[in-house]
Amino acid sequence: MQTTTTIEETRKLVKDWKRQGLTIGLVPTMGYLHEGHASLIARARKENDRVVVSVFVNPTQFGPNEDLEAYPRDFAHDCRLCEEQGADLVFHPEPEEMYQDACTYVNIRTLSDTLCGKSRPVHFSGVCTVVSKLFHIAAPDRAYFGEKDAQQLAIIKKMVKDLDFDLEVVGCPIIREADGLAKSSRNTYLNAQERQAALCLSRALQKGKALAKPGLDTKTLKNVIREEIEKEPLARIDYVETVDALTMQPVEAIDRPVLTAIAVYIGKTRLIDNFSYDPEVQA
Ligand code: PAF
């Protein structure tokens, strides 16, 4: 496995592979990798000749009072995990390498007005900008993203369509701890008491999922989820919302494929989780 820090050396490797007719899978990450990332890399390994993992804590997707400085980092551990999963290249640039004096950003409308986009106004512009750059640098045939960040996945799929990127976006299932908590690099912020409290997210979604059926009004669904989370004293709800799975706009009833997504503060840590429901498939 090789590591690069510059765009130029990464491009050179990628161009060599392309010249040989090899396919490339890209797994964009912010590092501090866990089993969720490992599952993306393993899938990319199966479906491509070469696998590139980017490890870059992207400053442009953090708001002014968010956790950019505190975001956990452990590059040696990340490299070990990438190697174990059979990655060929880890691209690990510094912010100056990625942005220099950049003043061009990629913005996506409507899909980013709800859910996390509403609570984190600059977030998806930063995500779309860095992901576009990574697509240009690594020139992947396929790019892999987790379904835990369901709005991010929907936004990247739409961006790829709108901007005619010639690649396939592959969504991969949420990986959970044995007790149900969705794997996240931010779980590391939780102390023992908060770790226990964080189970209210998956528990509430399980309750919601059990209730979901075609035609159900989403107010009922959201109330059940809210009530379950509100039982937990350390939890503070940012949002509980059910949206159209493609447009990310709120819906009043389950009359199409929907995403029910939640963001909840456990102490100071903001966690997200979700489930999808397609009335035609899951009824
Ligand atoms: O999901 C993430 O870790 C990040 O948002 C991504 C896609 C790597 C862009 O920085």
Side-chain angles (χ1 to χ4, degrees), residues 26-76:
L26 171 69
V27 183
T29 81
M30 296 210 300
Y32 215 70
L33 305 181
H34 50 66
E35 287 90 334
H37 299 108
S39 75
L40 305 182
I41 302 169
R43 173 97 181 254
R45 178 69 286 160
K46 270 199 202 125
E47 297 178 352
N48 303 276
D49 299 317
R50 294 288 180 268
V51 176
V52 179
V53 180
S54 60
V55 173
F56 178 60
V57 182
N58 173 36
T60 63
Q61 68 188 73
F62 289 80
N65 297 315
E66 294 184 352
D67 58 342
L68 172 61
E69 298 307 324
Y71 197 84
R73 292 157 167 92
D74 186 346
F75 188 57

CSV table of all heavy atoms in Angstrom, one decimal, residues 26-76:
chain,number,residue,atom,x,y,z
A,26,LEU,N,-13.1,4.6,-5.0
A,26,LEU,CA,-12.6,5.6,-4.0
A,26,LEU,C,-13.5,5.6,-2.8
A,26,LEU,O,-14.7,5.5,-2.8
A,26,LEU,CB,-12.7,7.0,-4.6
A,26,LEU,CG,-12.5,8.2,-3.7
A,26,LEU,CD1,-11.1,8.3,-3.2
A,26,LEU,CD2,-13.0,9.5,-4.3
A,27,VAL,N,-12.8,5.6,-1.6
A,27,VAL,CA,-13.5,5.7,-0.3
A,27,VAL,C,-13.1,7.0,0.4
A,27,VAL,O,-12.0,7.0,1.0
A,27,VAL,CB,-13.3,4.5,0.6
A,27,VAL,CG1,-14.1,4.6,1.9
A,27,VAL,CG2,-13.6,3.1,-0.1
A,28,PRO,N,-13.9,8.0,0.3
A,28,PRO,CA,-13.6,9.3,0.9
A,28,PRO,C,-13.9,9.2,2.4
A,28,PRO,O,-14.9,8.8,2.8
A,28,PRO,CB,-14.5,10.3,0.3
A,28,PRO,CG,-15.1,9.7,-0.9
A,28,PRO,CD,-15.1,8.2,-0.6
A,29,THR,N,-12.9,9.6,3.3
A,29,THR,CA,-13.1,9.5,4.7
A,29,THR,C,-12.5,10.7,5.4
A,29,THR,O,-11.6,11.4,4.8
A,29,THR,CB,-12.5,8.3,5.4
A,29,THR,OG1,-11.1,8.5,5.6
A,29,THR,CG2,-12.7,7.0,4.6
A,30,MET,N,-12.8,10.9,6.6
A,30,MET,CA,-12.1,12.0,7.4
A,30,MET,C,-11.2,11.3,8.5
A,30,MET,O,-10.8,11.9,9.4
A,30,MET,CB,-13.1,12.9,8.1
A,30,MET,CG,-14.0,13.7,7.1
A,30,MET,SD,-14.5,15.3,7.7
A,30,MET,CE,-15.5,14.8,9.1
A,31,GLY,N,-10.9,10.0,8.2
A,31,GLY,CA,-10.0,9.3,9.1
A,31,GLY,C,-10.7,8.8,10.4
A,31,GLY,O,-11.9,8.8,10.5
A,32,TYR,N,-9.8,8.4,11.4
A,32,TYR,CA,-10.2,7.8,12.6
A,32,TYR,C,-11.2,6.6,12.3
A,32,TYR,O,-12.3,6.5,12.7
A,32,TYR,CB,-10.9,8.8,13.6
A,32,TYR,CG,-10.6,8.4,15.0
A,32,TYR,CD1,-9.3,8.6,15.5
A,32,TYR,CD2,-11.6,7.9,15.9
A,32,TYR,CE1,-9.0,8.3,16.8
A,32,TYR,CE2,-11.2,7.6,17.2
A,32,TYR,CZ,-10.0,7.8,17.6
A,32,TYR,OH,-9.6,7.4,18.9
A,33,LEU,N,-10.7,5.8,11.4
A,33,LEU,CA,-11.5,4.7,10.7
A,33,LEU,C,-12.0,3.7,11.7
A,33,LEU,O,-11.3,3.3,12.6
A,33,LEU,CB,-10.7,4.1,9.6
A,33,LEU,CG,-10.1,5.1,8.6
A,33,LEU,CD1,-9.3,4.4,7.5
A,33,LEU,CD2,-11.2,6.0,8.0
A,34,HIS,N,-13.2,3.2,11.4
A,34,HIS,CA,-13.8,2.1,12.2
A,34,HIS,C,-14.4,1.1,11.3
A,34,HIS,O,-14.2,1.2,10.1
A,34,HIS,CB,-14.8,2.7,13.2
A,34,HIS,CG,-15.8,3.6,12.5
A,34,HIS,ND1,-16.7,3.2,11.6
A,34,HIS,CD2,-16.0,5.0,12.6
A,34,HIS,CE1,-17.5,4.2,11.2
A,34,HIS,NE2,-17.1,5.3,11.8
A,35,GLU,N,-15.1,0.1,11.9
A,35,GLU,CA,-15.7,-1.0,11.1
A,35,GLU,C,-16.6,-0.5,9.9
A,35,GLU,O,-16.7,-1.2,8.9
A,35,GLU,CB,-16.4,-2.0,11.9
A,35,GLU,CG,-15.5,-2.9,12.8
A,35,GLU,CD,-15.3,-2.3,14.1
A,35,GLU,OE1,-15.3,-1.0,14.3
A,35,GLU,OE2,-15.0,-3.0,15.1
A,36,GLY,N,-17.2,0.6,10.2
A,36,GLY,CA,-18.1,1.2,9.1
A,36,GLY,C,-17.3,1.5,7.9
A,36,GLY,O,-17.6,1.1,6.7
A,37,HIS,N,-16.1,2.2,8.1
A,37,HIS,CA,-15.2,2.5,7.0
A,37,HIS,C,-14.6,1.2,6.4
A,37,HIS,O,-14.5,1.1,5.2
A,37,HIS,CB,-14.1,3.4,7.4
A,37,HIS,CG,-14.5,4.7,8.0
A,37,HIS,ND1,-14.4,5.0,9.3
A,37,HIS,CD2,-14.9,5.8,7.4
A,37,HIS,CE1,-14.8,6.2,9.5
A,37,HIS,NE2,-15.2,6.8,8.4
A,38,ALA,N,-14.3,0.3,7.3
A,38,ALA,CA,-13.7,-1.0,6.8
A,38,ALA,C,-14.7,-1.7,5.8
A,38,ALA,O,-14.2,-2.3,4.8
A,38,ALA,CB,-13.4,-1.9,8.0
A,39,SER,N,-16.0,-1.6,6.1
A,39,SER,CA,-16.9,-2.3,5.2
A,39,SER,C,-17.0,-1.6,3.9
A,39,SER,O,-17.2,-2.2,2.8
A,39,SER,CB,-18.3,-2.3,5.9
A,39,SER,OG,-18.9,-1.0,5.8
A,40,LEU,N,-16.8,-0.2,3.8
A,40,LEU,CA,-16.8,0.5,2.5
A,40,LEU,C,-15.5,0.1,1.7
A,40,LEU,O,-15.6,-0.2,0.5
A,40,LEU,CB,-16.7,2.0,2.8
A,40,LEU,CG,-17.8,2.7,3.6
A,40,LEU,CD1,-17.6,4.2,3.6
A,40,LEU,CD2,-19.2,2.4,3.1
A,41,ILE,N,-14.4,0.0,2.4
A,41,ILE,CA,-13.1,-0.4,1.8
A,41,ILE,C,-13.2,-1.8,1.2
A,41,ILE,O,-12.8,-2.1,0.1
A,41,ILE,CB,-11.9,-0.2,2.7
A,41,ILE,CG1,-11.8,1.3,3.2
A,41,ILE,CG2,-10.6,-0.5,2.0
A,41,ILE,CD1,-10.8,1.5,4.3
A,42,ALA,N,-13.8,-2.7,2.1
A,42,ALA,CA,-13.9,-4.1,1.7
A,42,ALA,C,-14.8,-4.2,0.4
A,42,ALA,O,-14.5,-5.0,-0.5
A,42,ALA,CB,-14.5,-4.9,2.8
A,43,ARG,N,-15.9,-3.4,0.4
A,43,ARG,CA,-16.8,-3.5,-0.8
A,43,ARG,C,-16.0,-2.9,-2.0
A,43,ARG,O,-16.1,-3.5,-3.1
A,43,ARG,CB,-18.0,-2.7,-0.5
A,43,ARG,CG,-19.0,-2.4,-1.6
A,43,ARG,CD,-20.1,-3.4,-1.6
A,43,ARG,NE,-21.0,-3.2,-2.7
A,43,ARG,CZ,-22.2,-2.6,-2.6
A,43,ARG,NH1,-22.6,-2.2,-1.5
A,43,ARG,NH2,-22.9,-2.4,-3.7
A,44,ALA,N,-15.3,-1.8,-1.8
A,44,ALA,CA,-14.5,-1.2,-3.0
A,44,ALA,C,-13.5,-2.2,-3.5
A,44,ALA,O,-13.3,-2.4,-4.7
A,44,ALA,CB,-13.9,0.1,-2.5
A,45,ARG,N,-12.9,-3.0,-2.5
A,45,ARG,CA,-11.9,-4.0,-2.9
A,45,ARG,C,-12.5,-5.1,-3.8
A,45,ARG,O,-11.8,-5.5,-4.8
A,45,ARG,CB,-11.3,-4.6,-1.6
A,45,ARG,CG,-10.3,-5.7,-1.7
A,45,ARG,CD,-9.0,-5.2,-2.2
A,45,ARG,NE,-9.0,-5.0,-3.6
A,45,ARG,CZ,-8.1,-4.2,-4.2
A,45,ARG,NH1,-7.1,-3.7,-3.6
A,45,ARG,NH2,-8.1,-4.1,-5.6
A,46,LYS,N,-13.7,-5.5,-3.5
A,46,LYS,CA,-14.4,-6.5,-4.2
A,46,LYS,C,-14.7,-6.1,-5.7
A,46,LYS,O,-14.7,-6.9,-6.6
A,46,LYS,CB,-15.7,-6.9,-3.6
A,46,LYS,CG,-15.6,-8.0,-2.6
A,46,LYS,CD,-16.9,-8.6,-2.3
A,46,LYS,CE,-16.9,-9.3,-1.0
A,46,LYS,NZ,-17.9,-8.9,0.0
A,47,GLU,N,-15.0,-4.8,-5.8
A,47,GLU,CA,-15.6,-4.3,-7.1
A,47,GLU,C,-14.7,-3.6,-8.0
A,47,GLU,O,-15.1,-3.1,-9.1
A,47,GLU,CB,-16.8,-3.4,-6.7
A,47,GLU,CG,-17.9,-4.2,-6.0
A,47,GLU,CD,-19.1,-3.4,-5.6
A,47,GLU,OE1,-19.1,-2.1,-5.7
A,47,GLU,OE2,-20.1,-4.0,-5.1
A,48,ASN,N,-13.4,-3.4,-7.6
A,48,ASN,CA,-12.5,-2.6,-8.4
A,48,ASN,C,-11.1,-3.2,-8.4
A,48,ASN,O,-10.7,-3.9,-7.5
A,48,ASN,CB,-12.4,-1.1,-7.8
A,48,ASN,CG,-13.7,-0.5,-7.7
A,48,ASN,OD1,-14.2,0.1,-8.7
A,48,ASN,ND2,-14.4,-0.6,-6.6
A,49,ASP,N,-10.3,-2.8,-9.4
A,49,ASP,CA,-8.9,-3.3,-9.5
A,49,ASP,C,-8.0,-2.6,-8.5
A,49,ASP,O,-7.1,-3.1,-8.0
A,49,ASP,CB,-8.3,-3.1,-10.9
A,49,ASP,CG,-9.2,-3.9,-11.9
A,49,ASP,OD1,-9.5,-5.0,-11.7
A,49,ASP,OD2,-9.5,-3.3,-13.0
A,50,ARG,N,-8.3,-1.3,-8.3
A,50,ARG,CA,-7.5,-0.5,-7.4
A,50,ARG,C,-8.4,0.3,-6.4
A,50,ARG,O,-9.5,0.7,-6.8
A,50,ARG,CB,-6.6,0.5,-8.1
A,50,ARG,CG,-5.5,-0.1,-9.0
A,50,ARG,CD,-4.4,-0.7,-8.1
A,50,ARG,NE,-3.4,-1.3,-8.9
A,50,ARG,CZ,-3.4,-2.6,-9.3
A,50,ARG,NH1,-4.3,-3.4,-8.9
A,50,ARG,NH2,-2.4,-3.1,-10.0
A,51,VAL,N,-8.0,0.4,-5.1
A,51,VAL,CA,-8.8,1.1,-4.1
A,51,VAL,C,-8.0,2.2,-3.5
A,51,VAL,O,-6.9,2.1,-3.0
A,51,VAL,CB,-9.2,0.1,-3.0
A,51,VAL,CG1,-10.0,0.9,-1.9
A,51,VAL,CG2,-10.1,-1.0,-3.6
A,52,VAL,N,-8.6,3.4,-3.6
A,52,VAL,CA,-8.0,4.6,-3.0
A,52,VAL,C,-8.8,5.0,-1.8
A,52,VAL,O,-10.1,5.1,-2.0
A,52,VAL,CB,-8.0,5.8,-4.1
A,52,VAL,CG1,-7.4,7.1,-3.4
A,52,VAL,CG2,-7.2,5.4,-5.3
A,53,VAL,N,-8.2,5.3,-0.7
A,53,VAL,CA,-8.9,5.8,0.5
A,53,VAL,C,-8.3,7.2,0.7
A,53,VAL,O,-7.1,7.4,0.8
A,53,VAL,CB,-8.7,4.9,1.7
A,53,VAL,CG1,-9.4,5.5,3.0
A,53,VAL,CG2,-9.1,3.5,1.5
A,54,SER,N,-9.2,8.2,0.8
A,54,SER,CA,-8.7,9.5,1.2
A,54,SER,C,-9.0,9.7,2.7
A,54,SER,O,-10.0,9.3,3.2
A,54,SER,CB,-9.4,10.6,0.4
A,54,SER,OG,-10.8,10.6,0.6
A,55,VAL,N,-8.0,10.3,3.4
A,55,VAL,CA,-8.1,10.6,4.8
A,55,VAL,C,-7.8,12.1,5.0
A,55,VAL,O,-6.7,12.5,4.8
A,55,VAL,CB,-7.1,9.7,5.6
A,55,VAL,CG1,-7.0,10.2,7.1
A,55,VAL,CG2,-7.4,8.2,5.5
A,56,PHE,N,-8.9,12.8,5.2
A,56,PHE,CA,-8.8,14.3,5.2
A,56,PHE,C,-9.9,14.9,6.0
A,56,PHE,O,-11.0,14.7,5.7
A,56,PHE,CB,-8.8,14.8,3.7
A,56,PHE,CG,-8.7,16.3,3.6
A,56,PHE,CD1,-7.6,17.0,4.1
A,56,PHE,CD2,-9.8,17.0,3.1
A,56,PHE,CE1,-7.5,18.4,4.0
A,56,PHE,CE2,-9.7,18.4,3.0
A,56,PHE,CZ,-8.6,19.1,3.5
A,57,VAL,N,-9.5,15.5,7.1
A,57,VAL,CA,-10.5,16.2,8.0
A,57,VAL,C,-10.7,17.5,7.3
A,57,VAL,O,-9.9,18.4,7.3
A,57,VAL,CB,-10.0,16.4,9.4
A,57,VAL,CG1,-11.1,17.0,10.3
A,57,VAL,CG2,-9.6,15.0,10.0
A,58,ASN,N,-11.9,17.6,6.6
A,58,ASN,CA,-12.1,18.7,5.7
A,58,ASN,C,-12.7,19.9,6.4
A,58,ASN,O,-13.8,20.0,6.8
A,58,ASN,CB,-13.2,18.2,4.6
A,58,ASN,CG,-13.6,19.3,3.7
A,58,ASN,OD1,-12.9,20.2,3.3
A,58,ASN,ND2,-14.9,19.3,3.4
A,59,PRO,N,-11.8,21.0,6.5
A,59,PRO,CA,-12.3,22.1,7.3
A,59,PRO,C,-13.5,22.8,6.8
A,59,PRO,O,-14.3,23.4,7.5
A,59,PRO,CB,-11.0,23.1,7.2
A,59,PRO,CG,-10.2,22.6,6.1
A,59,PRO,CD,-10.5,21.1,5.9
A,60,THR,N,-13.7,22.8,5.5
A,60,THR,CA,-14.9,23.6,4.9
A,60,THR,C,-16.2,23.0,5.2
A,60,THR,O,-17.2,23.7,5.0
A,60,THR,CB,-14.7,23.7,3.4
A,60,THR,OG1,-14.8,22.4,2.8
A,60,THR,CG2,-13.5,24.4,3.0
A,61,GLN,N,-16.3,21.8,5.8
A,61,GLN,CA,-17.6,21.2,6.1
A,61,GLN,C,-17.9,21.4,7.6
A,61,GLN,O,-18.9,20.9,8.1
A,61,GLN,CB,-17.7,19.8,5.7
A,61,GLN,CG,-16.9,18.8,6.4
A,61,GLN,CD,-17.0,17.4,5.8
A,61,GLN,OE1,-16.4,17.2,4.7
A,61,GLN,NE2,-17.7,16.5,6.4
A,62,PHE,N,-17.1,22.1,8.3
A,62,PHE,CA,-17.3,22.4,9.8
A,62,PHE,C,-17.8,23.9,9.9
A,62,PHE,O,-17.1,24.8,9.3
A,62,PHE,CB,-16.1,22.2,10.6
A,62,PHE,CG,-15.7,20.7,10.7
A,62,PHE,CD1,-15.0,20.1,9.7
A,62,PHE,CD2,-16.0,20.0,11.9
A,62,PHE,CE1,-14.6,18.7,9.9
A,62,PHE,CE2,-15.6,18.7,12.1
A,62,PHE,CZ,-14.9,18.1,11.0
A,63,GLY,N,-18.8,24.1,10.7
A,63,GLY,CA,-19.2,25.5,11.0
A,63,GLY,C,-18.3,26.1,12.0
A,63,GLY,O,-17.5,25.3,12.7
A,64,PRO,N,-18.4,27.4,12.3
A,64,PRO,CA,-17.5,28.1,13.2
A,64,PRO,C,-17.5,27.5,14.6
A,64,PRO,O,-16.4,27.5,15.2
A,64,PRO,CB,-18.1,29.5,13.3
A,64,PRO,CG,-19.0,29.6,12.1
A,64,PRO,CD,-19.4,28.2,11.7
A,65,ASN,N,-18.6,27.0,15.1
A,65,ASN,CA,-18.6,26.5,16.5
A,65,ASN,C,-18.6,25.0,16.6
A,65,ASN,O,-19.0,24.4,17.6
A,65,ASN,CB,-19.7,27.1,17.3
A,65,ASN,CG,-19.6,28.6,17.4
A,65,ASN,OD1,-18.5,29.1,17.7
A,65,ASN,ND2,-20.7,29.3,17.2
A,66,GLU,N,-18.2,24.3,15.5
A,66,GLU,CA,-18.2,22.9,15.5
A,66,GLU,C,-16.8,22.3,15.9
A,66,GLU,O,-15.9,23.0,16.3
A,66,GLU,CB,-18.7,22.4,14.1
A,66,GLU,CG,-20.1,22.8,13.9
A,66,GLU,CD,-20.7,22.3,12.6
A,66,GLU,OE1,-20.0,21.7,11.8
A,66,GLU,OE2,-21.9,22.5,12.4
A,67,ASP,N,-16.7,20.9,15.7
A,67,ASP,CA,-15.6,20.2,16.4
A,67,ASP,C,-14.4,20.0,15.5
A,67,ASP,O,-13.7,19.0,15.6
A,67,ASP,CB,-16.1,18.9,16.9
A,67,ASP,CG,-16.8,18.0,15.9
A,67,ASP,OD1,-17.1,18.6,14.8
A,67,ASP,OD2,-16.9,16.8,16.1
A,68,LEU,N,-14.1,20.9,14.5
A,68,LEU,CA,-12.9,20.7,13.6
A,68,LEU,C,-11.6,20.4,14.4
A,68,LEU,O,-10.9,19.5,14.1
A,68,LEU,CB,-12.8,22.0,12.7
A,68,LEU,CG,-11.5,22.0,11.9
A,68,LEU,CD1,-11.5,20.8,10.9
A,68,LEU,CD2,-11.4,23.3,11.1
A,69,GLU,N,-11.3,21.2,15.4
A,69,GLU,CA,-10.1,21.1,16.1
A,69,GLU,C,-10.1,19.8,16.9
A,69,GLU,O,-9.1,19.1,17.0
A,69,GLU,CB,-9.8,22.2,17.1
A,69,GLU,CG,-9.7,23.6,16.4
A,69,GLU,CD,-8.6,23.6,15.3
A,69,GLU,OE1,-7.6,22.9,15.5
A,69,GLU,OE2,-8.8,24.3,14.3
A,70,ALA,N,-11.2,19.5,17.5
A,70,ALA,CA,-11.3,18.3,18.4
A,70,ALA,C,-11.5,17.0,17.6
A,70,ALA,O,-11.3,15.9,18.2
A,70,ALA,CB,-12.5,18.5,19.4
A,71,TYR,N,-11.8,17.1,16.3
A,71,TYR,CA,-12.1,15.8,15.6
A,71,TYR,C,-11.0,14.8,15.7
A,71,TYR,O,-9.8,15.2,15.5
A,71,TYR,CB,-12.4,16.2,14.1
A,71,TYR,CG,-13.1,15.1,13.4
A,71,TYR,CD1,-14.5,15.0,13.5
A,71,TYR,CD2,-12.4,14.1,12.7
A,71,TYR,CE1,-15.2,13.9,12.9
A,71,TYR,CE2,-13.1,13.0,12.2
A,71,TYR,CZ,-14.5,12.9,12.2
A,71,TYR,OH,-15.2,11.9,11.7
A,72,PRO,N,-11.3,13.6,16.1
A,72,PRO,CA,-10.2,12.6,16.4
A,72,PRO,C,-9.4,12.3,15.2
A,72,PRO,O,-9.9,12.2,14.1
A,72,PRO,CB,-11.0,11.4,16.9
A,72,PRO,CG,-12.4,11.5,16.4
A,72,PRO,CD,-12.6,13.0,16.3
A,73,ARG,N,-8.1,12.1,15.4
A,73,ARG,CA,-7.2,11.8,14.3
A,73,ARG,C,-6.2,10.7,14.8
A,73,ARG,O,-5.7,10.8,15.9
A,73,ARG,CB,-6.4,13.0,13.9
A,73,ARG,CG,-7.2,14.1,13.2
A,73,ARG,CD,-6.5,15.5,13.4
A,73,ARG,NE,-7.1,16.5,12.6
A,73,ARG,CZ,-8.0,17.4,12.9
A,73,ARG,NH1,-8.6,17.3,14.1
A,73,ARG,NH2,-8.4,18.3,12.1
A,74,ASP,N,-5.9,9.7,13.9
A,74,ASP,CA,-4.9,8.7,14.2
A,74,ASP,C,-4.5,8.0,12.9
A,74,ASP,O,-5.0,7.0,12.5
A,74,ASP,CB,-5.5,7.6,15.2
A,74,ASP,CG,-4.4,6.6,15.7
A,74,ASP,OD1,-3.3,6.6,15.0
A,74,ASP,OD2,-4.7,5.9,16.6
A,75,PHE,N,-3.6,8.7,12.2
A,75,PHE,CA,-3.2,8.3,10.9
A,75,PHE,C,-2.6,6.9,10.8
A,75,PHE,O,-2.8,6.1,9.9
A,75,PHE,CB,-2.4,9.3,10.2
A,75,PHE,CG,-2.1,9.1,8.7
A,75,PHE,CD1,-3.2,8.9,7.9
A,75,PHE,CD2,-0.9,8.9,8.2
A,75,PHE,CE1,-3.0,8.6,6.5
A,75,PHE,CE2,-0.7,8.6,6.9
A,75,PHE,CZ,-1.8,8.5,6.0
A,76,ALA,N,-1.8,6.6,11.9
A,76,ALA,CA,-1.1,5.3,11.9
A,76,ALA,C,-2.1,4.2,12.0
A,76,ALA,O,-2.1,3.2,11.2
A,76,ALA,CB,-0.1,5.2,13.1
